[in-house]
Amino acid sequence: MSILKEFTLVVIGLAVVSILCQYSQYSYWLPITSHGDLIQYTVQDSTDDIYHSRAFFLLNHEAMEKDFKVFAYPGGNPGTCYHSTNNTLKSNHASEHYFFMNLRDSPFLTKNPEEAHLFFIPISCQPLSDEEPLPGYREKVIKRYVKSLISTYPYWNRTLGADHFFVSCHNIGSTATKEIPFLLKNAIRLVCSPSYDSNYIPQKDVALPQILELSLPPDGDDMWNRSTVESRPLLLSQEMINPPRTKLGFWAGSPNSDVRKKLVLFQKDFQEFEFHFVEKLKGATVLYNFEKEIYRSKFCICPRGETQVGGVCLSESMAFGCVPVVMSDYYDLPFNDILDWDKFSVILREDDVLELEKILKSIPEGKYEKMQQNVLKVRKHFKWHSPPAKYDEFHLVMYELWKRRHIIRY
């Protein structure tokens, strides 16, 4: 090849790279066709996209759906997940039940442990006595169950549990696992309260957003058709579907943390907020009593509680089209490596309480409208369905687990 031709190819190559770099500021590359190992891409607009990289997520999610396999140890029953047989399932930890139920009926589950990427320990779904047990009874049941798995199956000892995972939303699981060496340290935890000051390890564990209700088709069991927008379309007026948001912010809950106590102290200074401070207020009570106020608020405040960020605040505010305002210094946002939270939420420090109204008012109306539109786009990732729906909460949790599957086995 002549020097002239080589020079020409270099110039053309640099020009292509320059064009791609210009596109990369505003666009992403989306696969449109695939022939063997060759994938053709097209440029799609990604301005204000809710993902860090939509193309990367879609490609990897597709691979996850095709390949990912999980082996669930026997002995767990989703009907016994901390007395989840209660039909209303209003507990903040209902997601624990929904995850197990979805996994049980999903194609990810395999009966062949030799082809499994990860192993699921159903710690939270052990049959427990309904009677008032002796102190430490539940912890002993779980400890005995895990130890029996370790002695019966060979898979734990290959990695000391590093390719195992369990759900830890209830305090029973948290206290019981402390007595089992390497379970808390090595195994992957699905945690409903992923605060850094509660033994949560972000590079290993997975945040499991709390959701109170299961979204089913309109002809589903009526007991589920009470709180999510999609499950009761006939009950919603046009005003509720697209309400005028006349209040700047809303929050209701217990003042059980420093940041919440500051909200109580300075609430009189917040003229455009609807604040309700109620001791031991249940999430379901918030929905039933303050539903209209949530619909009419631009922002929903999600301050860190005693152990978590507002429980179901994040997912439920999204369900009502309210832009969440996260106020916590020790919190790992769910799916943070997938979703760009800056595009549909406001992230503040706990010390920003005094500046809360000023900060929210300083957000231009155009930017707020874009954030609110993105909330409507992203909320599909914060719903449970039966059966699971593509890209819903179950699939994103499985995606997070799939990314942690590369474990060196001894």
Side-chain angles (χ1 to χ4, degrees):
M1 182 181 293
S2 67
I3 296 178
L4 180 60
K5 288 184 178 180
E6 289 183 3
F7 177 77
T8 303
L9 290 176
V10 169
V11 171
I12 294 174
L14 291 173
V16 171
V17 169
S18 176
I19 293 173
L20 294 182
C21 289
Q22 293 178 37
Y23 268 119
S24 66
Q25 299 178 37
Y26 309 101
S27 311
Y28 59 86
W29 294 88
L30 184 67
I32 53 174
T33 60
S34 176
H35 303 284
D37 295 331
L38 179 62
I39 301 177
Q40 298 179 13
Y41 293 85
T42 184
V43 178
Q44 299 289 332
D45 181 34
S46 66
T47 303
D48 293 328
D49 198 359
I50 60 175
Y51 305 99
H52 292 298
S53 174
R54 179 185 292 264
F56 182 84
F57 169 63
L58 294 179
L59 283 172
N60 282 276
H61 191 280
E62 182 180 355
M64 180 268 297
E65 288 184 298
K66 292 180 180 178
D67 301 330
F68 193 31
K69 294 298 178 185
V70 170
F71 177 78
Y73 285 113
N77 183 342
T80 65
C81 287
Y82 299 127
H83 311 293
S84 61
T85 50
N86 177 0
N87 286 340
T88 57
L89 275 174
K90 295 297 182 184
S91 167
N92 285 354
H93 310 293
S95 291
E96 201 161 346
H97 169 83
Y98 296 148
F99 174 80
F100 192 9
M101 183 173 63
N102 278 182
L103 178 64
R104 180 191 59 179
D105 299 329
S106 77
F108 298 114
L109 201 63
T110 177
K111 295 182 179 180
N112 179 12
E114 297 300 328
E115 70 173 4
H117 298 94
L118 294 180
F119 297 81
F120 174 53
I121 307 176
I123 287 177
S124 62
C125 298
Q126 300 306 306
L128 299 172
S129 173
D130 289 327
E131 300 179 0
E132 187 64 29
L134 295 173
Y137 159 74
R138 294 181 174 89
E139 288 77 7
K140 290 179 181 178
V141 170
I142 294 175
K143 183 178 180 179
R144 186 164 54 246
Y145 169 66
V146 175
K147 284 195 170 184
S148 70
L149 297 180
I150 294 174
S151 61
T152 303
Y153 294 86
Y155 310 108
W156 172 277
N157 291 325
R158 297 185 302 190
T159 64
L160 290 179
D163 55 357
H164 287 55
F165 72 95
F166 63 100
V167 183
S168 180
C169 285
H170 198 283
N171 57 2
I172 295 175
S174 300
T175 55
T177 55
K178 292 179 181 178
E179 298 187 21
I180 307 173
F182 297 109
L183 184 60
L184 200 63
K185 179 181 178 181
N186 288 358
I188 303 167
R189 290 193 303 157
L190 304 186
V191 186
C192 281
S193 302
S195 297
Y196 298 142
D197 55 352
S198 61
N199 296 318
Y200 177 78
I201 306 174
Q203 65 268 27
K204 171 180 71 71
D205 299 332
V206 176
L208 181 64
Q210 296 183 48
I211 311 248
L212 290 183
E213 300 271 357
L214 180 67
S215 300
L216 287 179
D219 58 351
D221 189 332
D222 182 67
M223 74 178 186
W224 304 114
N225 298 337
R226 286 198 282 258
S227 77
T228 54
V229 175
E230 289 75 7
S231 65
R232 51 176 191 171
L234 298 180
L235 301 181
L236 295 175
S237 65
Q238 184 60 40
E239 184 185 54
M240 293 186 73
I241 294 174
N242 188 21
R245 299 188 180 268
T246 55
K247 282 291 182 179
L248 183 62
F250 168 86
W251 181 69
S254 303
N256 57 10
S257 67
D258 290 341
V259 63
R260 294 184 179 192
K261 291 175 182 177
K262 290 179 181 178
L263 289 173
V264 175
L265 184 62
F266 298 108
Q267 63 174 311
K268 294 181 180 179
D269 298 329
F270 302 141
Q271 301 299 320
E272 298 187 41
F273 287 79
E274 288 286 350
F275 284 163
H276 301 273
F277 301 97
V278 184
E279 292 289 346
K280 298 181 180 179
L281 183 66
K282 300 295 184 181
T285 306
V286 173
L287 297 181
Y288 285 122
N289 293 350
F290 307 118
E291 179 177 316
K292 291 184 179 179
E293 293 182 19
I294 301 175
Y295 270 121
R296 290 185 170 88
S297 299
K298 297 174 65 175
F299 298 96
C300 284
I301 315 304
C302 299
R304 187 168 79 100
E306 187 175 13
T307 59
Q308 59 195 21
V309 176
V312 299
C313 179
L314 289 177
S315 55
E316 292 300 334
S317 62
M318 293 180 193
F320 289 94
C322 188
V323 175
V325 179
V326 181
M327 302 192 71
S328 176
D329 296 336
Y330 309 98
Y331 187 67
D332 189 35
L333 290 163
F335 317 133
N336 195 31
D337 53 344
I338 303 170
L339 304 174
D340 188 349
W341 281 81
D342 289 332
K343 299 297 175 57
F344 55 88
S345 70
V346 179
I347 314 297
L348 301 178
R349 302 171 303 169
E350 294 180 19
D351 288 340
D352 288 331
V353 169
L354 285 175
E355 303 296 322
L356 179 60
E357 186 167 0
K358 179 181 177 181
I359 291 172
L360 297 184
K361 282 185 174 181
S362 69
I363 297 176
E365 188 63 24
K367 181 177 180 180
Y368 163 76
E369 291 177 356
K370 189 62 180 179
M371 293 173 67
Q372 203 266 336
Q373 292 171 8
N374 287 337
V375 165
L376 303 182
K377 295 177 183 177
V378 80
R379 64 184 180 182
K380 67 181 180 182
H381 298 312
F382 293 84
K383 290 186 175 69
W384 297 102
H385 298 87
S386 182
K390 196 177 183 72
Y391 305 126
D392 67 357
E393 176 160 339
F394 172 71
H395 279 85
L396 258 68
V397 170
M398 294 304 293
Y399 179 80
E400 292 283 14
L401 288 170
W402 181 76
K403 291 192 300 180
R404 291 160 172 79
R405 74 197 184 285
H406 294 299
I407 303 298
I408 300 176
R409 293 177 174 169
Y410 299 100

